[in-house]
Amino acid sequence: MRVPIVAPGVLLAGAALGAVVTVVTVLPGPVGLAAAIAVLCAGAFLLWPWAVLPVGIIGGAVVGALLSGGDVRGYIAVKVLLLAAGGAALAVRHWLGVETAPRRTVADVGMLGLIGLTVVAATYGLAVGNLPAEVLVAAYQVATIPVYFFMATHTLTSSRRILAAGILYVVLAGVFTAISVAAPGRHGGLITLMAIPALIWIAGRVRGWRRAGALLLGGFFAVDVLLASYRGIWLAAALTGLIMLVRGGRTVRTGLAATAAAAIAVAAVLALQPGVRERAGEIAKGFEQSAGYRGVESEVGLGVFADQPLVGAGLGQTTPDIYLSGFTFTDVGPVYHAFYVTLLANLGLVGLLVVLWPILRAIRVGLGSRDGITLPFAALSCGFLAAALFAAPTDGHWELGLLPALTLLTAHHEGARLRRFARPALPRGALTRTGVAA
């Protein structure tokens, strides 16, 4: 048997290094750095496709903040670039015949319908004279949901991949939070909240050092969510915990109680840090902060919806010269600080139903499991649906695409495991013509 002179991994590493050096040398400044990161990520995703979402979510947030310099467009561009690198890597894996088929779910048709609606609504928006740049902004807000959904169903095709992606996500989130937890003025909590319900479920099922690790991480992340000073995240966390308490079985409730106790203990330790105490002082400001211009902004969006309630005014609609407190006169739309107002103004009732249908189908499946891992994901989906009443983040509600996918993917693996354990050991030929054991 021939032994290759150079290992394939060495060749891949050498090619990646050469590509990185080339793009950094040829392309200027941040553009070259972003291109180099994309090349490196594409190479990593070729080997580990399950890493696309953890790296895209957390790495995109960190790298986007560093490279964009506070510019929202640059931040979104980095996240899109990482997802595009993941998509390219998946395409190459399928072309090479080394990638498994994507997992099919009951929400696939609904998410495909949402993609189709986005294309139609964008075309309609351009036809009625909405600015192309605004059409693109609004289309991103809607399309990010099915994009994350299908990225999950195409990369997390087995229970091992889901587990590997979950471990990588928790590790990256833990490092990111440990570095930034004492930084005053850092708002958010989204990254840590995404991991807490699954850690609660794990803490209720395992024992020993694994339970201690899950409780430590869950409590640490819970403190970070509390310090976020972001009312939408608080609402999502509270509703998620309530649903898990009411719908969950003994395993879920045990993990919930233990994680709450761990959060209190971790908070007591972190309170010794001056930076954490300063962040804690901002919690009261989170409650005292007024809605500002958001009420007027929502009224404008609902007025657009009232004029065209069925299909809205098309993606990219804006209302010019509206007075907002603190901003004098400005254009309002296409994105509003309430996600449902964004949907109603741009897509009308039809768009709202198309967006909610696949999400609610996944939630219905997940809430049927009392002690399974699907319940935390379904409960978190409900929490973020409620938070969307008051929030429309600049990078879109990608969690409303990812969480339904995780709910349905884990439900499939749970069902397969239960069927395997429940199947009796029968000799060959023990089935009748009707398929029932004789």
Side-chain angles (χ1 to χ4, degrees), residues 33-429:
L33 183 58
I37 292 173
V39 171
L40 285 174
C41 288
F45 298 154
L46 275 173
L47 298 175
W48 307 292
W50 46 264
V52 173
L53 287 171
V55 172
I57 294 170
I58 301 178
V62 175
V63 177
L66 292 175
L67 294 183
S68 65
D71 181 28
V72 173
R73 292 172 297 180
Y75 176 78
I76 293 176
V78 170
K79 298 195 72 172
V80 171
L81 185 65
L82 288 175
L83 288 178
L90 278 178
V92 172
R93 287 180 62 87
H94 281 290
W95 177 67
L96 294 174
V98 297
E99 181 60 28
T100 56
R103 181 65 61 188
R104 304 300 182 188
T105 74
V106 296
D108 286 0
V109 174
M111 289 294 179
L112 287 173
L114 183 52
I115 293 176
L117 176 66
T118 304
V119 174
V120 172
T123 304
Y124 174 65
L126 293 172
V128 297
N130 297 337
L131 295 177
E134 302 293 356
V135 172
L136 182 61
V137 169
Y140 176 84
Q141 292 289 321
V142 180
T144 190
I145 295 176
V147 165
Y148 273 85
F149 177 88
F150 285 117
M151 186 60 73
T153 58
H154 280 68
T155 58
L156 307 179
T157 53
S158 67
S159 56
R160 287 188 177 183
R161 285 191 174 188
I162 295 174
L163 179 61
I167 293 174
L168 179 60
Y169 183 91
V170 169
V171 170
L172 293 177
V175 172
F176 171 70
T177 306
I179 294 173
S180 59
V181 68
R186 188 188 72 82
H187 302 289
L190 172 60
I191 288 177
T192 44
L193 179 56
M194 290 287 291
I196 293 175
L199 290 171
I200 289 173
W201 178 82
I202 292 172
R205 289 183 63 89
V206 300
R207 298 291 184 270
W209 65 269
R210 290 182 295 178
R211 168 176 278 190
L215 289 176
L216 179 62
L217 281 171
F220 180 47
F221 287 171
V223 172
D224 181 70
V225 169
L226 180 62
L227 295 174
S229 298
Y230 187 24
R231 286 173 290 187
I233 292 296
W234 290 339
L235 174 62
L239 183 57
T240 300
L242 179 61
I243 292 174
M244 292 181 68
L245 179 64
V246 173
R247 294 288 303 176
R250 182 178 179 181
T251 297
V252 172
R253 292 176 180 176
T254 299
L256 194 61
T259 303
I264 295 174
V266 172
V269 174
L270 291 178
L272 300 176
Q273 297 291 327
V276 173
R277 290 199 300 270
E278 188 172 347
R279 278 193 67 190
E282 298 178 353
I283 294 178
K285 298 179 183 178
F287 286 106
E288 296 172 358
Q289 185 179 8
S290 68
Y293 59 84
R294 297 185 180 189
V296 177
E297 184 189 67
S298 293
E299 289 179 5
V300 173
L302 292 176
V304 175
F305 162 67
D307 291 337
Q308 302 183 65
L310 191 60
V311 296
L315 286 178
Q317 58 74 38
T318 57
T319 304
D321 298 328
I322 299 296
Y323 177 77
L324 298 180
S325 177
F327 285 84
T328 65
F329 287 90
T330 186
D331 297 343
V332 176
V335 180
Y336 302 82
H337 280 83
F339 182 58
Y340 298 114
V341 176
T342 299
L343 293 178
L344 290 173
N346 288 271
L347 300 173
L349 286 173
V350 172
L352 179 65
L353 293 176
V354 173
V355 169
L356 291 181
W357 178 53
I359 299 174
L360 294 177
R361 289 200 70 180
I363 290 175
R364 181 181 178 183
V365 172
L367 293 182
S369 174
R370 295 182 60 83
D371 275 323
I373 186 61
T374 58
L375 177 63
F377 294 131
L380 197 54
S381 299
C382 294
F384 280 115
L385 279 178
L389 287 167
F390 311 104
T394 53
D395 59 339
H397 280 286
W398 51 265
E399 71 277 0
L400 295 181
L402 176 60
L403 289 171
L406 292 175
T407 301
L408 296 174
L409 290 172
T410 52
H412 170 83
H413 293 299
E414 278 185 5
R417 185 167 60 251
L418 290 175
R419 288 192 297 271
R420 184 170 65 252
F421 289 147
R423 186 183 299 124
L426 297 176
R428 292 183 179 180

